[in-house]
């Protein structure tokens, strides 16, 4: 990605420069520190001086607190029950609903309700400008919000409220119920049976997907293609209008980056700040996105096993071998086993929303080694949590709305075989995931931003357990075309959302939300 002042030319040379920069970031992150370069002191400004005056630099667009607000109600208890978590002491959660047009092109047509959850602490200043959070269809934004509330240091929440907007059809936004229990079961294990034959699994999954597509189309018609990232981006515009503010400060995580970028393309002058945290490619073909995900998740699992060994986990030095056995035994149909897909989803979701401290890694390791001995109880609970957070009917509908250029079912075995050479733990699942949208309709591709009213802040989690860090590379062409001078921050920790897990990144966000643009350097690193 570009540094300010560099010549900006699109093409292979620019992409090569980006790859070189990213490689340098990864090396820098392993050393630690909040900034790249010999002078690490001034690169991360601690604090949040949004009311101060910028000197010697142009100002960013002004941000406003809502002039009108939603009808909030306290909901910590219901959110805790929904997600099976404990809301930390001192954190306040409030819920509201926003009525939005189901078809953004018909403002006077049928409406649906979109769930909105606000998180604050006792220290949050009254009248502070909120951050609007979206994690797209990865998992409910309201669940991602809870990651900002954990631990003794509430960081961002102590400085401003964070407002999670659940993707339509997901989380608190009115769940979609259009698939049968049998179809959901096939999706859950990607058609695993008594063998590991990818072609047979693909055919079984395709049959279930086509039947599910017919049922969901019947349930949702004529609005079955109105659950895309672009439609979710219009829900952010509805929130902006309801608040009666000129611009939103948006914090997007994972596939929420597609929601945020669709909003930025349709309403460029309504973007006050744009944070792309652990982003994915925008309008990227399904095959390319899946391959990036396979590569990124493999790297994340490698980091997990290495750090787990360093923390004294029960996996020891043979963590990769244990994971391989678990996935093979599941595909082999041993009684009580989980499929390779269920093992992968259980593990990556645990890394996304669970405790990744040494104690947390040791607990996760215990569940894996117990399953390797035949006791799958703890791992199955993690797989059940993964399914509830990441495989609801509404998430399938949303993903399929945006899955463009999906390869044919007959191509899946070859993709799994080709990707397996470098990604043995992730290739099969990521290839089979493509079949989940067989027979489903696809929404029109949204426009890409031609320009940015404010330079984005891009946070890249090198060990992102949901989409993988390689997915962020797919944004490079868009950034080059928009000729933007974004600041890119690399974080080498384990977890989903750099902002939720890195105090260093949280401090930089505080600076970014102020009036002055971020200064040099344009590429930075935060320690794990």
């Amino acid at each position: 990605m570009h540094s300010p002042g560099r010549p900006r030319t699109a093409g292979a040379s620019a992409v090569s420069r980006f790859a070189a920069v990213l490689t340098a970031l990864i090396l820098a992150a392993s050393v630690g520190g909040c900034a790249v370069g010999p002078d690490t002191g001034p690169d991360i400004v601690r604090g949040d001086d949004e009311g101060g005056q910028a000197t010697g630099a142009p100002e960013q667009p002004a941000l406003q607190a809502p002039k009108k607000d939603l009808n909030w109600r306290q909901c910590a208890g219901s959110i805790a029950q929904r997600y099976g978590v404990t809301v930390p002491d001192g954190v306040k959660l409030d819920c509201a609903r926003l009525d939005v047009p189901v078809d953004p092109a018909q403002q006077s047509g049928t409406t649906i309700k979109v769930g909105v959850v606000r998180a604050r602490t006792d220290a949050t200043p009254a009248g502070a400008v909120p951050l609007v959070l979206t994690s797209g269809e990865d998992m409910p934004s309201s669940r991602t919000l809870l990651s900002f509330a954990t631990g003794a240091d509430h960081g961002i929440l102590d400085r401003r409220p964070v407002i999670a907007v659940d993707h339509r059809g997901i989380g608190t936004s009115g769940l979609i119920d259009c698939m049968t229990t049998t179809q959901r079961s096939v999706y859950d294990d990607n058609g695993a049976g008594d063998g590991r034959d990818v072609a047979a699994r693909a055919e079984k999954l395709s049959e279930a997907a086509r039947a599910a597509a017919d049922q969901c189309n019947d349930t949702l018609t004529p609005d079955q293609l109105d659950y895309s990232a672009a439609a979710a981006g219009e829900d952010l515009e509805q929130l902006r209008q309801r608040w009666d503010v000129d611009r939103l400060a948006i914090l997007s995580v994972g596939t929420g980056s597609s929601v945020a970028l669709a909003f930025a393309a349709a309403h460029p002058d309504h973007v006050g700040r744009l944070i792309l945290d652990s982003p994915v490619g925008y309008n990227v073909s399904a095959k390319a996105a899946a391959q990036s995900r396979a590569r990124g998740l493999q790297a994340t699992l490698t980091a997990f096993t290495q750090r787990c060994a360093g923390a004294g986990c029960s996996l020891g030095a043979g963590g990769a071998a244990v994971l391989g056995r678990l996935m093979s035994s599941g595909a082999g149909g041993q009684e009580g086993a989980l499929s390779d897909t269920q093992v992968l989803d259980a593990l990556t979701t645990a890394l996304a929303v669970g405790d990744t401290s040494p104690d947390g890694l040791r607990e996760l390791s215990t569940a894996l080694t117990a399953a390797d001995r035949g006791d799958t109880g703890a791992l199955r609970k993690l797989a059940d949590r993964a399914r509830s957070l990441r495989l609801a009917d509404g998430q399938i509908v949303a993903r399929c709305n945006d899955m463009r250029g999906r390869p044919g079912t007959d191509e899946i075995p070859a993709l799994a075989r080709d990707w397996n050479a470098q990604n043995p733990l992730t290739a099969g699942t990521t290839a089979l995931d493509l079949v989940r949208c067989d027979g489903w309709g696809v929404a029109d591709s949204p426009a890409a931003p031609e320009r940015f009213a404010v330079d984005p802040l891009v946070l890249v989690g090198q060990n992102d357990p949901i989409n993988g860090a390689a997915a962020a590379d797919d944004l490079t062409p868009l950034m080059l075309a928009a000729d933007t001078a974004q600041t890119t921050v690399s974080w080498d920790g384990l977890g989903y959302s750099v902002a939720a897990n890195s105090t260093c990144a949280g401090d930089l966000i505080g600076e970014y939300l102020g009036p002055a643009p971020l200064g040099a350097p344009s590429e930075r690193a935060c320690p794990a």
Side-chain angles (χ1 to χ4, degrees):
M1 294 187 180
H2 285 299
S3 295
R6 292 183 183 176
R8 298 177 185 151
T9 57
S13 61
V15 175
S16 298
R17 287 198 305 272
F18 176 81
V21 169
L22 187 58
T23 301
L25 281 174
I26 295 172
L27 293 174
S30 66
V31 178
C34 281
V36 176
D39 180 10
T40 61
D43 295 339
I44 303 294
V45 175
R46 312 295 176 184
D48 188 12
D49 184 22
E50 69 180 45
Q53 296 297 316
T55 58
E59 290 194 352
Q60 300 186 105
L63 298 174
Q64 306 164 292
K67 299 175 185 176
K68 303 175 183 177
D69 215 341
L70 306 180
N71 295 320
W72 298 106
R73 58 176 177 81
Q74 194 279 333
C75 63
S78 62
I79 292 295
Q81 182 177 14
R82 174 185 289 271
Y83 297 122
V85 299
T86 300
V87 177
D89 292 338
V91 174
K92 303 175 182 178
L93 298 181
D94 305 292
C95 293
R97 288 288 186 91
L98 192 65
D99 289 320
V100 303
V102 63
D103 181 355
Q106 298 182 13
Q107 294 292 310
S108 60
T110 304
T111 63
I112 57 174
K113 293 185 181 298
V114 168
V116 184
V117 183
R118 176 178 66 185
R120 301 171 294 162
T121 71
D122 293 334
T124 306
V129 174
L131 264 178
V132 177
L133 171 69
T134 172
S135 52
E137 41 76 6
D138 284 342
M139 66 178 67
S141 303
S142 50
R143 179 59 184 89
T144 304
L145 176 66
L146 296 179
S147 296
F148 289 82
T150 57
D153 179 12
H154 300 129
I156 291 174
L157 295 182
D158 285 339
R159 293 186 290 239
R160 65 188 65 257
V162 178
I163 313 294
V165 181
D166 275 334
H167 193 294
R168 47 176 62 191
I170 300 172
T172 64
S173 287
L175 295 178
I176 293 173
D177 181 4
C178 62
M179 295 171 60
T180 67
T181 301
T182 300
Q183 290 160 358
R184 294 185 187 113
S185 178
V186 176
Y187 272 72
D188 185 32
D189 63 13
N190 269 350
D194 294 334
R196 194 163 184 164
D197 183 70
V198 174
R201 293 177 67 177
E203 287 299 327
K204 181 178 179 180
L205 184 55
S206 174
E207 181 180 354
R210 289 180 176 278
D214 289 342
Q215 290 180 196
C216 291
N217 285 342
D218 290 344
T219 300
L220 300 173
T221 190
D223 306 314
Q224 62 267 38
L225 297 181
D226 289 318
Y227 291 84
S228 64
E234 289 304 312
D235 295 341
L236 300 186
E237 171 61 10
Q238 291 294 316
L239 177 64
R240 184 198 68 79
Q241 293 179 20
R242 178 69 177 268
W243 276 350
D244 192 19
V245 296
D246 294 332
R247 299 175 179 86
L248 295 179
I250 301 174
L251 169 57
S252 64
V253 181
T255 56
S257 64
S258 294
V259 176
L261 289 169
F263 173 79
H267 310 281
D269 295 324
H270 292 161
V271 179
R273 302 292 185 276
L274 181 59
I275 304 168
L276 304 174
D277 183 349
S278 311
V280 300
Y282 187 71
N283 286 343
V284 176
S285 74
K287 176 182 173 181
Q291 185 174 16
S292 293
R293 185 166 177 263
R295 186 169 66 252
L297 293 185
Q298 182 71 34
T300 297
L301 296 186
T302 299
F304 161 68
T305 55
Q306 292 174 345
R307 294 179 192 192
C308 207
C313 291
S314 57
L315 286 171
V322 173
L323 295 183
R325 285 196 300 272
L326 287 172
M327 295 182 183
S328 296
S329 66
Q334 295 182 17
E335 185 176 356
L338 289 83
S339 75
D340 48 356
T341 296
Q342 290 170 313
V343 173
L344 180 62
D345 288 351
L347 176 53
T348 54
T349 304
L351 294 174
V353 301
D355 180 5
T356 56
S357 70
D359 286 343
L361 294 182
R362 285 190 287 268
E363 182 178 357
L364 178 56
S365 170
T366 298
L368 293 167
T369 52
D372 191 36
R373 296 192 304 268
D375 179 5
T376 60
L379 187 58
R380 187 169 293 280
K381 288 182 179 178
L382 294 176
D384 290 343
R385 178 176 66 174
R387 182 179 63 252
S388 68
L389 290 178
R390 299 173 59 187
L391 203 58
D393 293 6
Q395 287 164 301
I396 298 298
V397 172
R399 284 170 197 151
C400 295
N401 269 201
D402 288 320
M403 188 174 283
R404 300 174 183 89
R406 185 185 61 78
T409 301
D410 58 344
E411 300 178 60
I412 300 303
L415 293 179
R417 183 175 57 253
D418 292 345
W419 298 347
N420 185 74
Q422 299 297 321
N423 313 297
L425 297 176
T426 62
T429 289
T430 50
L432 284 166
D433 283 350
L434 294 167
V435 186
R436 290 174 169 176
C437 291
D438 199 5
W440 292 70
V442 180
D444 292 337
S445 298
E450 296 181 355
R451 63 180 178 85
F452 290 101
V454 60
D455 291 329
L457 172 61
V458 182
L459 310 177
V460 180
Q462 296 299 333
N463 304 302
D464 174 6
I466 300 297
N467 297 297
D473 297 348
D474 293 333
L475 272 184
T476 304
L478 183 150
M479 294 297 181
L480 292 172
D483 196 30
T484 188
Q486 78 278 357
T487 296
T488 303
V489 180
S490 173
W491 176 64
D492 197 40
L494 278 169
Y496 176 68
S497 173
V498 179
N501 290 284
S502 169
T503 301
C504 167
D507 290 339
L508 182 58
I509 288 173
E511 179 185 355
Y512 178 65
L513 293 172
L518 293 174
S522 61
E523 288 95 19
R524 313 185 187 198
C526 282

